[in-house]
Amino acid sequence: MDRIWVVVDRAGERVAPLSLELLTKSKDLADQVEGVTWGDGAQLAAEAGSYGAALLHTVGDLGGRLPGPAVAAAMAARIEAGDAPDAVLVPHNYDGRDIAGRLSALIDRPVLTNVVGLTDADGLRTQHPVFGGSEILTARFTGDGPGIYVVRTKSFAAEDSGGAAADVDVWAVPQLGAADAVRVVDRHVEEREGPKLDEAAVVVSGGRGLGQADAYRMIEELAKLLGGAAGASRAIVDAGWVPYSHQVGQTGKTVKPTVYIAAGISGATQHMVGMKGANNIIAINKDQEAPIFSIADLGVVGDVNKVLPKLIEALRARS
Amino acid sequence: MNVVVCTKQIPDPANPGQLSPDTHTLVREGKLILDDSDAYGVELGLQLVEAAGGEVMLVSMAPHAEVSGLRTALAMGAAKAILVSDEALVGSDALSTAKVLAAAIRRTDPDLIIAATESTDGYTGTLPVQLAQLLDLPSVTFAKRLSVADGKVRADRQTESGYDEVESPLPAVVTVTAGVVEPRYPSFKGIMSAKNKPIEQLSLADLGIDPSAVGWAGARQEVVSVVSAEARTGGEIVVDDGDAHERIVAFLEQLKVI
Ligand SMILES: Cc1cc2nc3c(=O)[nH]c(=O)nc-3n(C[C@H](O)[C@H](O)[C@H](O)COP(=O)(O)OP(=O)(O)OC[C@H]3O[C@@H](n4cnc5c(N)ncnc54)[C@H](O)[C@@H]3O)c2cc1C
């Protein structure tokens, strides 16, 4: 494969971890890897380069706009001008999905989303977990034009290969019209202590079995004692007990920690697809029949409100 | 204010899903129900028109002229629906579906188009933004709170680290997450009146769409294979007698986490 474009998402002044994963994988698959980003490209050039990007294209300062319309239109213009890559890899996150959707409609190519694996066998093939990850579906694009792949976090390792800083250039953005009318008025950052959910070595998640919002404090405390991050099932996010940024699963984060502790979580397929990749799973649930036990290395049949306080006490006593 | 809500009708997720052995796509036979994820959009649309006047119109694409999911949303309070159903649509990817919905929506003149961030059964999650691009409209995705005033929509849009307050002029496409509002249950009166609410049924010919550009004929992606994932099996199970925490501590020690 000759050339891959990777959408380089930002985490402040750095490259977002998921984009580093995509750059690393692309370096494996293609002769030339090019990043496409927004804002100050020079800021990200060294990091993007050391993970495999030879070039970094930026659409420049967004001035309070969302990245979707501008990044997609700039890519589409290059493709229409005959400068098409073989594939475009996009992070499966909020801005990534906006970019992929707009690009798809602009260049009239469909999108493969929820990608967790990529192999090159006479063209790229994608792997997707279906039915909660119990089956793996392999798909590919047919027809002409670049494929658009939206890839989930932790599908590939991010490896610094020590490449030189990427050369930065600025891509012109065509006239965008009505599609570009959204403005960010204010940004809110929900502070959280400790490591990030999708980077933590230990993740402790709570579910509806906690019984009440207050009981989530035990999850946070336990996560802190283990140097990990606190996660949640969608049931308690929807109930407003914890912010969405804690959600693990199909519509939340994918995590692959050394240890995942599920407390009061039933193990719905949509939850399991986000945490099945953990090296070790501990589940605490009062229902012996809970599906979560079918994938737990250690299953404790018991009441979270009894087991967790004792576990916390025992760990506190050691520290 | 007129609101279009994109409503998908799907097989009941309570029953285990199935892939067709020939085509490896989801089997969509039998009774379809309103996708739970769309109930939030329907509710939000209803709240907006209840405050500002106007009506909620549903737009759906489904096989076999299926209407049972639409009736549920009509029973919640939507005024009418457009249903696109055509043999040639079987096998459509998200982009083809977006083109069909865009053509249907062009026949109406909405101020706001609401969709779920993704469907429960396919969860491709690209259709709403494809739709926005095809209609040349702004899109506010992943809204977890939303209001409309002075010809503008304001929303809290989820981000990796929290949320952004964003603003867009109307018309616009918004996608809403579960929990944005609490969907109402249809009342008995609602269910009765839903039976007589208009559902306009359209074919591809009605929309002027070439059947060879959609469905299997127009598909530009294909499933190569489906295999069972390496099964993760359960391990040790202990029943708590008051000392299960000790077993957890020992396990964590063994893993050198503590
Ligand atoms: C399109 C779609 C996307 C979704 N995406 C996600 C997602 O990303 N992430 C996600 O998590 N879910 C997701 N879901 C929801 C998912 O289907 C489940 O509804 C959800 O995961 C259930 O959360 P839960 O396990 O906390 O609650 P429940 O299923 O209600 O389970 C609670 C569990 O707690 C146990 N329990 C109760 N009391 C106690 C006690 N005192 N001590 C110990 N155990 C107790 C019960 O036995 C039960 O097993 C999605 C659903 C759909 C339709």
Side-chain angles (χ1 to χ4, degrees):
Chain A
M1 180 147 317
D2 293 337
R3 202 152 72 110
I4 295 181
W5 289 350
V6 173
V7 170
V8 173
D9 188 15
R10 318 177 65 103
E13 298 182 356
R14 314 232 14 205
V15 176
L18 174 50
S19 287
L20 295 178
E21 293 162 20
L22 300 190
L23 288 169
T24 307
K25 182 66 187 177
S26 299
K27 190 168 169 290
D28 253 12
L29 292 168
D31 301 335
Q32 165 106 342
V33 180
E34 301 173 19
V36 182
T37 193
W38 52 92
D40 181 3
Q43 225 170 38
L44 309 178
E47 205 181 1
S50 61
Y51 284 79
L55 301 175
L56 183 62
H57 313 291
T58 176
V59 300
D61 185 30
L62 294 172
R65 294 168 170 80
L66 297 175
V71 174
M75 286 197 283
R78 305 296 299 203
I79 291 168
E80 264 150 40
D83 182 31
D86 298 290
V88 183
L89 266 52
V90 185
H92 190 111
N93 59 23
Y94 312 111
D95 290 332
R97 282 165 62 175
D98 279 8
I99 293 167
R102 291 209 174 258
L103 178 62
S104 159
L106 283 167
I107 66 170
D108 194 28
R109 290 285 288 163
V111 188
L112 285 166
T113 62
N114 289 300
V115 173
V116 298
L118 277 170
T119 47
D120 192 357
D122 191 21
L124 280 188
R125 297 185 176 210
T126 55
Q127 275 83 50
H128 311 255
V130 292
F131 302 134
S134 61
E135 293 181 55
I136 302 290
L137 182 151
T138 300
R140 64 167 183 177
F141 285 110
T142 57
D144 298 328
I148 308 169
Y149 304 87
V150 182
V151 185
R152 295 200 61 115
T153 55
K154 301 281 158 171
S155 300
F156 311 111
E159 276 159 34
D160 185 339
S161 51
D167 285 329
V168 178
D169 65 355
V170 177
W171 268 2
V173 179
Q175 209 56 47
L176 293 171
D180 195 37
V182 181
R183 292 293 176 276
V184 177
V185 184
D186 205 356
R187 296 185 194 275
H188 298 260
V189 175
E190 284 156 359
E191 296 293 344
R192 53 192 296 167
E193 289 176 43
K196 289 172 76 177
L197 188 54
D198 45 5
E199 290 163 27
V202 176
V203 173
V204 185
S205 288
R208 186 150 38 202
L210 290 172
Q212 50 168 326
D214 261 1
Y216 193 76
R217 285 206 201 117
M218 294 190 293
I219 300 295
E220 288 173 321
E221 165 98 59
L222 185 55
K224 200 168 166 191
L225 283 164
L226 295 171
S233 74
R234 173 160 146 185
I236 70 168
V237 171
D238 286 357
W241 296 4
V242 290
Y244 170 79
S245 54
H246 293 246
Q247 185 175 315
V248 173
Q250 181 181 306
T251 38
K253 299 245 158 53
T254 304
V255 299
K256 287 195 175 173
T258 311
V259 183
Y260 187 87
I261 303 181
I265 292 178
S266 60
T269 55
Q270 297 94 346
H271 186 79
M272 298 214 279
V273 76
M275 44 66 77
K276 259 183 118 170
N279 295 343
N280 299 280
I281 297 170
I282 302 174
I284 308 167
N285 196 304
K286 70 174 186 192
D287 174 11
Q288 185 140 16
E289 304 295 318
I292 192 79
F293 286 133
S294 70
I295 62 161
D297 301 283
L298 174 62
V300 171
V301 182
D303 185 339
V304 286
N305 290 303
K306 291 187 180 142
V307 179
L308 289 180
K310 285 187 189 160
L311 181 57
I312 288 167
E313 202 180 308
L315 291 172
R316 262 199 212 131
R318 298 166 59 100
S319 58
Chain B
M1 179 162 106
N2 291 319
V3 178
V4 159
V5 181
C6 301
T7 26
K8 190 169 183 184
Q9 304 176 83
I10 62 168
D12 190 341
N15 305 325
Q18 252 186 2
L19 294 179
S20 146
D22 313 326
T23 61
H24 298 308
T25 51
L26 282 168
V27 174
R28 291 204 174 82
E29 297 299 327
K31 186 172 180 283
L32 301 182
I33 63 169
L34 175 67
D35 187 341
D36 240 359
S37 306
D38 291 330
Y40 300 97
V42 174
E43 175 63 37
L44 181 66
L46 290 172
Q47 290 185 11
L48 292 172
V49 302
E50 279 160 8
E55 59 184 23
V56 170
M57 177 192 272
L58 312 169
V59 174
S60 187
M61 174 178 127
H64 314 307
E66 180 66 55
V67 295
S68 45
L70 289 176
R71 292 280 178 220
T72 304
L74 291 169
M76 287 172 71
K80 55 189 176 193
I82 294 181
L83 171 68
V84 186
S85 198
D86 198 304
E87 277 293 308
L89 284 168
V90 178
S92 291
D93 59 37
L95 181 56
S96 295
T97 308
K99 288 178 186 173
V100 169
L101 295 183
I105 291 169
R106 278 194 200 101
R107 299 162 70 95
T108 70
D109 186 21
D111 301 293
L112 187 67
I113 299 162
I114 305 179
T117 56
E118 60 201 46
S119 64
T120 299
D121 60 342
Y123 58 94
T124 311
T126 53
L127 182 141
V129 179
Q130 289 167 328
L131 182 65
Q133 184 63 45
L134 292 167
L135 295 170
D136 193 21
L137 291 178
S139 53
V140 174
T141 48
F142 304 98
K144 56 174 195 169
R145 223 170 52 88
L146 188 141
S147 60
V148 173
D150 308 325
K152 284 183 177 165
V153 52
R154 264 187 103 106
D156 291 349
R157 176 180 187 259
Q158 276 167 11
T159 62
E160 293 301 309
S161 52
Y163 65 95
D164 287 348
E165 279 175 49
V166 301
E167 196 176 84
S168 169
L170 297 177
V173 173
V174 298
T175 73
V176 295
T177 60
V180 66
V181 285
E182 187 62 45
R184 67 193 68 181
Y185 288 104
S187 64
F188 179 70
K189 204 170 136 235
I191 294 168
M192 294 315 287
S193 68
K195 293 188 174 143
N196 299 316
K197 287 182 175 172
I199 298 180
E200 187 185 4
Q201 302 214 7
L202 300 174
S203 66
L204 283 174
D206 296 328
L207 293 174
I209 293 177
D210 174 4
S212 69
V214 295
W216 291 125
R220 285 161 300 163
Q221 57 195 39
E222 66 180 17
V223 174
V224 179
S225 66
V226 183
V227 296
S228 290
E230 223 176 281
R232 217 192 148 111
T233 49
E236 178 187 349
I237 298 278
V238 295
V239 178
D240 182 36
D241 280 332
D243 55 5
H245 61 285
E246 289 169 12
R247 182 65 196 95
I248 298 177
V249 170
F251 189 61
L252 293 171
E253 272 175 347
Q254 186 193 327
L255 298 173
K256 301 199 172 15
V257 171
I258 51 173

